[in-house]
Amino acid sequence: MKHVIGMKEMSKQQIESLLARAAEWAKRPKAQADTLSGRFVANLFFEASTRTRFSFEVAQKRLGAHVLNFTAEASSTTKGETIYDTLRTLEAMGVETAVIRTSQNGLLEDLVGRVGLHLVNAGDGTNEHPTQCLLDLLTMKQHFGKIAGLRVAIIGDLRHSRVLGSHLHALPKLGAELVLAGPPGMMRRAEEIPAGVSVVDIDEAVRTADVVMMLRVQLERHAEAVFDSAESYHQMYGLTLERARAMKPGAVIMHPAPVNRGVEIHTDLVECEKSLIFTQVANGVAVRMAVLEQIMEGRESKWESSLVTVNG
Ligand code: CP
């Protein structure tokens, strides 16, 4: 694996290998390594980010890399330079890996083979967010000990969610049952929903799932107002306290975040006992370390003996 573009391209075996390695890092939250010592990686975020951007940077630094953070507004992209030319420029300087967040669906797929850098998709438009998907999978695996057989409900702004875009490929590949619920105006097109994935009403989704994953309403991607008020959305499509009480015993709440408290999820549920939301954030670092090792070092075949911990 030279790039991480999407879960669509990733095999079950590749996903499981990444999760196994990430689980090792998750058990050692302070461990550092010299795996990427002296090597340059760049983070290019053309859309806002807190979790993905900083967890990549933490992961890169824990592996010993030199990290370049590209600020789009201060770069020559404001003079019309393309992302292709920007990447070729970084490549010429000796940068080996580019982590890219963009609003353009499929941009990274177009760049593979045209530049010599390793490419990592940190979220492309409404298409995919593979490292978020991997950290969600790691969180489920840690909690339940398995992914196969879990019933996962993904609820909310389905149309704009690149996290859902990745889970539509990954969860069925790993043997989980995926159900979707959300407002009609935020639904995916029928042709985007694979066979075996069902659309149900929100109360059924919440009541029957092992994992209730709420999605943020992505107001920045909606052309016009999509609901009358935050409160009306919360009552109709949000995880209210009442709905949460109807969850199965042992079921958990997840959310890729950022969270709109009081809109898609009641504020008291964000940090409640059932919530794994901050565990997801912690796992983001572990997953991104595993991804960087894999694409830059090809660790897959010798992972058992590959911990090069220098600290912790
Ligand atoms: N989940 C996620 O992608 O968060 P950020 O937008 O803060 O990176």
Side-chain angles (χ1 to χ4, degrees), residues 48-53 101 129 132 256-258:
S49 169
T50 297
R51 277 146 288 275
T52 311
R53 179 179 170 149
R101 171 167 288 190
H129 193 349
Q132 176 70 46

Side-chain angles (χ1 to χ4, degrees), residues 13-33:
Q13 192 267 331
Q14 286 172 325
I15 298 170
E16 286 172 347
S17 292
L18 284 170
L19 294 182
R21 180 57 172 171
E24 294 292 324
W25 285 118
K27 283 183 215 148
R28 299 167 174 82
K30 293 193 176 152
Q32 299 195 22

Side-chain angles (χ1 to χ4, degrees), residues 275-289:
S275 171
L276 299 180
I277 294 172
F278 285 95
T279 307
Q280 289 173 264
V281 176
N283 283 335
V285 175
V287 154
R288 288 163 180 136
M289 290 175 83

Side-chain angles (χ1 to χ4, degrees), residues 19 132-147 211 252-254 276-284 287:
L19 294 182
Q132 176 70 46
C133 177
L134 287 164
L135 74 87
D136 294 342
L137 296 173
L138 175 62
T139 307
M140 291 177 209
K141 182 97 195 288
Q142 282 171 338
H143 188 85
F144 292 101
K146 61 172 188 178
I147 294 169
V211 176
V252 298
I253 297 168
M254 294 176 66
L276 299 180
I277 294 172
F278 285 95
T279 307
Q280 289 173 264
V281 176
N283 283 335
V287 154

